[in-house]
Amino acid sequence: MQEIIFIDEGSFPTPEGVTREWVQGAAENRDEDEKLFSIIREAFQIKIDAGVQVPTYPQFRDMIGQFFDIIKDEKNCHEPYVLKEERATILELEAIDEVAKQYKIETGKTLEVRVCIAGPTDMYYQAFGATAFVDVYDILAKDIEKFIKQAFKTAKNFKIKVIALDEIGLGLNDKIQFSDDEIISALTVASTFARQQGTDVEIHLYSPLKYELICETPINVIGFEYAGNPSYIDLLDRKVLEDSNTYAGVGISRTDIFSLISIVNEKYGINAWKDKEYMQKIVTELETPDIIKKRLETAYSVLGDRIKYANPDCGLAFWPDQKLAFRLLENTAKAVNEFNVERINNK
């Protein structure tokens, strides 16, 4: 029986005293690598300590900008937007390699990692808007493949378990003018190499509205935000997933921090942004292991063993601090672990 694996979605709060703007500047200029890499490593270790089985490198930068800034820089390209493969690097993977090396020393096991990369559709739309230039869309898909190839070269002390393409707008943004066939082609280009390595390729969607289109690509895991939007699971047909050998990655803990804080504010008649001790109510009352586990049980009653991964709905970049983000990850880990144990015991 396959256990459900706990992954996270990537982004994380910066430590106190460090802004996302500073991280962006340090990543661009590479003049403070020691401090930058230390911040990345510490956040990555926090995820491991919280119980994330397949952690994503910590994302402190804009998801699309992190990749497109490299692509649009002429010195990185053979011709406009045609990226040189050696330039398609993810510096965060350099940073976490040291953590993975220590993990191997301490546990005797190779750490499995999730690598998240902006998908071609979201990247194209942010960069070029609604006008559809299919040739450029295809070039971006090939650039993403280059980032994936370089990621595998970087992975010396860890194993890439999941390559995730972040496509939040796909199925929601009605301004995207590409046809289904063109989207299938771009996603196929972006995902084929990773699948050839035996790695799971996940597409992280907000809504699984276009999931049947995804089932026609090499992508084999459809991740969607279920905790905050339980009705999304009704969009999926388990038989379609089975027939295409596609799995689900289900968001089982809420990450919409502003809504969660509003619930706390209304319940207690306070402003949790000022009365910060009330922030803990999010992880002690709203997103507890029991509540999170019940969501997973409900999702499993619909999709069964088509669920391969469970995770928070989205990233945690805008959570108030790393301690609260740690508690959500820890609660989610407990929920997944308890669910797996109960499944085994009930067999």
Side-chain angles (χ1 to χ4, degrees):
M1 181 178 64
Q2 177 179 282
E3 291 191 351
I4 292 173
I5 301 167
F6 175 33
I7 60 177
D8 80 289
E9 291 301 314
S11 66
F12 206 68
T14 52
E16 187 175 355
V18 176
T19 64
R20 289 170 65 85
E21 290 73 21
W22 180 89
V23 173
Q24 179 65 30
E28 289 175 356
N29 300 324
R30 299 301 297 266
D31 54 358
E32 294 188 75
D33 273 5
E34 185 174 347
K35 178 180 178 181
L36 176 62
F37 278 34
S38 176
I39 289 168
I40 293 168
R41 287 170 184 150
E42 287 172 8
F44 191 60
Q45 186 64 54
I46 287 171
K47 294 183 180 189
I48 296 170
D49 292 344
V52 182
Q53 292 170 284
V54 182
T56 308
Y57 66 85
Q59 293 169 325
F60 296 126
R61 298 188 277 163
D62 175 72
M63 164 58 73
I64 295 174
Q66 173 178 346
F67 298 96
F68 192 68
D69 286 351
I70 294 173
I71 293 169
K72 71 182 181 182
D73 190 333
E74 291 182 1
K75 74 174 183 293
N76 295 326
C77 298
H78 297 292
E79 54 187 85
Y81 308 116
V82 180
L83 190 60
K84 297 175 183 176
E85 188 171 318
E86 67 272 15
R87 297 283 189 170
T89 57
I90 303 173
L91 70 83
E92 288 85 351
L93 296 182
E94 296 178 46
I96 67 168
D97 196 67
E98 189 63 34
V99 178
K101 185 177 181 181
Q102 188 61 33
Y103 180 91
K104 187 182 289 186
I105 291 171
E106 293 176 0
T107 68
K109 300 176 182 178
T110 299
L111 184 66
E112 294 183 322
V113 170
R114 178 180 178 271
V115 176
C116 191
I117 299 174
T121 316
D122 273 11
M123 186 185 294
Y124 180 95
Y125 182 75
Q126 181 166 307
F128 300 102
T131 304
F133 298 109
V134 178
D135 56 341
V136 179
Y137 186 40
D138 185 60
I139 288 170
L140 292 180
K142 291 175 181 175
D143 288 341
I144 289 165
E145 181 189 48
K146 292 169 187 174
F147 279 106
I148 292 170
K149 288 180 176 179
Q150 285 298 110
F152 278 93
K153 292 179 181 178
T154 306
K156 296 181 177 65
N157 289 293
F158 58 88
K159 176 185 177 183
I160 297 177
K161 172 74 171 176
V162 180
I163 291 285
L165 300 177
D166 207 50
E167 290 278 31
I168 298 298
L170 190 61
L172 287 181
N173 189 342
D174 59 5
K175 293 181 180 179
I176 293 171
Q177 297 298 310
F178 296 112
S179 68
D180 285 354
D181 285 345
E182 289 163 349
I183 293 171
I184 289 169
S185 176
L187 294 177
T188 297
V189 168
S191 62
T192 294
F193 176 82
R195 289 294 293 137
Q196 288 171 344
Q197 312 313 303
T199 300
D200 283 338
V201 177
E202 174 200 5
I203 186 164
H204 177 60
L205 305 168
Y206 179 75
S207 157
L209 189 61
K210 282 186 172 286
Y211 83 99
E212 290 185 77
L213 178 152
I214 307 302
C215 291
E216 296 184 47
T217 75
I219 294 168
N220 69 319
V221 180
I222 297 173
F224 65 99
E225 301 185 9
Y226 167 69
N229 301 278
S231 63
Y232 281 169
I233 204 164
D234 298 331
L235 297 172
L236 297 165
D237 185 328
R238 179 172 172 176
K239 188 174 188 307
V240 172
L241 298 180
E242 290 172 343
D243 289 347
S244 60
N245 198 26
T246 305
Y247 293 90
V250 181
I252 58 169
S253 46
R254 288 179 61 179
T255 55
D256 49 339
I257 187 63
F258 299 103
S259 297
L260 292 169
I261 288 175
S262 293
I263 294 170
V264 172
N265 288 346
E266 185 174 345
K267 181 176 181 179
Y268 291 96
I270 50 88
N271 181 352
W273 293 107
K274 292 182 179 179
D275 300 322
K276 292 191 176 180
E277 66 272 17
Y278 281 91
M279 291 277 190
Q280 295 302 313
K281 301 293 184 182
I282 292 170
V283 291
T284 60
E285 294 183 9
L286 302 182
E287 294 300 303
T288 65
D290 282 346
I291 289 171
I292 296 168
K293 181 164 72 76
K294 286 175 183 175
R295 289 196 193 109
L296 180 53
E297 289 169 346
T298 302
Y300 189 82
S301 71
V302 177
L303 296 179
D305 59 8
R306 286 295 101 188
I307 299 177
K308 189 169 187 178
Y309 296 99
N311 45 268
D313 265 350
C314 200
L316 303 171
F318 300 108
W319 278 54
D321 56 56
Q322 292 188 339
K323 289 182 179 178
L324 196 66
F326 170 86
R327 287 290 305 277
L328 182 79
L329 293 178
E330 186 178 50
N331 284 359
T332 310
K334 289 177 181 176
V336 175
N337 290 338
E338 289 175 11
F339 176 83
N340 284 327
V341 169
E342 288 177 9
R343 275 181 66 210
I344 291 170
N345 290 340
N346 291 333
K347 278 290 182 181

